[in-house]
Amino acid sequence: MQKTPMAHGLMSSLILSLVLSLGLSSKISIISLMVIINAIIDIYCFNYLRLRINKIKVKDIALVTLLLIPYIILVKLTLYLILPVSLLIIYLASSLRKKYVLTNISGSSFLSSMSLVWLSMISYVKTYQFLIILSWIMFTLTLASIVEYKLPFRKIDKIKTVGYTLSLVVIAIALTYLISGNYYLVTLYLFPLIALSLSGNKIINIKEIKKIGRIGMYSSILFVLISIFIYHLLILSTPIALNIIFIHKALF
């Protein structure tokens, strides 16, 4: 495998997604250890494959096939997996069509959705776990959208970018509250909402993007820690079940 430049944002996003999936699991088992080892290998392989989407070769296809084996064996198939699969398809399609903005945003979102895939390898994903990971994906999507429009060489309108992103966040908030009726989960969306409100204007010097990246990484770490805290100390203290009564009242 040839050496490729390290993508620190990609690495940190995948590592935090792994931490979140482990943090949301109820216990550490042999399967969990297998997932950790598999994820570490995948993180380095993703870094290698990210530059080869438009020039993939037979050995790259063989590598991807090899990487898929643990997922085929361990993953628990649920409807929740439609989300990461859809994000991957959007990423691949936009990459091949050279839609760079959509590629970066969907790619970042897909990386955060890997926490959903890794968690499904450890155990069946519960409703509240999915909703927490959904908020993680939306936060990552928000950060990626902000970075894209702030780049000086991107001809992207701020109002439209913030508007589209805010619309997705609002839909996710409504979905989360409708399904769970849990205020703790809704508070996680303060992260993307605050990020959008503090997004500011385009940067002038491209070197400023490193500062934005550091802020994004620190806020992502805080998000993951708070998410795990909310799940174990605030949600697991009460029964985890779909609030059918709440949904009925909300709809009728």
Side-chain angles (χ1 to χ4, degrees):
M1 184 181 297
Q2 69 187 72
K3 186 176 181 180
T4 58
M6 190 66 69
H8 298 290
L10 178 150
M11 301 288 280
S12 61
S13 181
L14 282 172
I15 291 172
L16 287 174
S17 295
L18 175 60
V19 171
L20 181 60
S21 63
L22 294 172
L24 293 180
S25 60
S26 301
K27 60 182 179 180
I28 299 297
S29 62
I30 296 298
I31 298 297
S32 301
L33 296 177
M34 292 172 61
V35 170
I36 292 173
I37 295 172
N38 177 73
I40 292 173
I41 295 173
D42 286 350
I43 288 170
Y44 282 96
C45 289
F46 276 141
N47 182 66
Y48 164 75
L49 290 169
R50 78 183 200 282
L51 298 175
R52 308 184 65 80
I53 186 66
N54 292 317
K55 52 180 179 180
I56 196 163
K57 299 179 180 178
V58 174
K59 64 177 183 180
D60 301 319
I61 297 176
L63 174 61
V64 171
T65 304
L66 187 63
L67 293 176
L68 286 175
I69 292 176
Y71 296 96
I72 295 173
I73 296 174
L74 295 176
V75 76
K76 279 79 173 176
L77 294 177
T78 65
L79 290 176
Y80 296 138
L81 293 180
I82 293 176
L83 181 55
V85 170
S86 299
L87 289 171
L88 177 59
I89 292 174
I90 294 173
Y91 167 72
L92 293 174
S94 56
S95 296
L96 292 172
R97 296 182 62 188
K98 300 185 185 301
K99 303 291 184 180
Y100 298 115
V101 174
L102 183 58
T103 297
N104 292 334
I105 295 176
S106 60
S108 298
S109 303
F110 168 70
L111 294 182
S112 58
S113 75
M114 283 300 298
S115 54
L116 187 60
V117 179
W118 284 323
L119 181 58
S120 71
M121 294 171 72
I122 299 172
S123 64
Y124 285 100
V125 179
K126 300 176 182 178
T127 302
Y128 278 47
Q129 293 170 324
F130 168 75
L131 292 175
I132 289 175
I133 293 175
L134 176 63
S135 63
W136 166 236
I137 294 172
M138 292 309 303
F139 182 44
T140 305
L141 182 148
T142 300
L143 293 179
S145 299
I146 291 174
V147 169
E148 286 302 309
Y149 94 74
K150 287 181 76 71
L151 291 173
F153 52 83
R154 294 283 196 230
K155 295 181 179 180
I156 305 176
D157 183 74
K158 175 184 176 180
I159 296 179
K160 288 184 179 179
T161 304
V162 172
Y164 290 144
T165 306
L166 181 60
S167 298
L168 291 175
V169 171
V170 170
I171 292 172
I173 291 174
L175 181 65
T176 297
Y177 190 67
L178 180 64
I179 292 176
S180 68
N182 190 296
Y183 292 102
Y184 298 125
L185 295 182
V186 175
T187 59
L188 290 174
Y189 285 95
L190 288 174
F191 280 84
L193 291 175
I194 292 174
L196 287 172
S197 65
L198 299 177
S199 55
N201 298 317
K202 283 183 175 290
I203 59 176
I204 299 175
N205 190 338
I206 191 62
K207 293 182 179 180
E208 295 179 45
I209 204 67
K210 291 184 178 180
K211 180 181 179 181
I212 297 173
R214 285 195 297 269
I215 295 174
M217 182 182 68
Y218 294 144
S219 59
S220 296
I221 292 173
L222 182 61
F223 180 96
V224 169
L225 293 178
I226 291 178
S227 297
I228 295 172
F229 171 83
I230 287 176
Y231 181 67
H232 284 281
L233 297 183
L234 299 179
I235 293 179
L236 287 186
S237 60
T238 57
I240 300 179
L242 195 61
N243 194 333
I244 302 298
I245 296 177
F246 172 81
I247 293 178
H248 182 273
K249 289 181 178 179
L251 294 178
F252 303 98

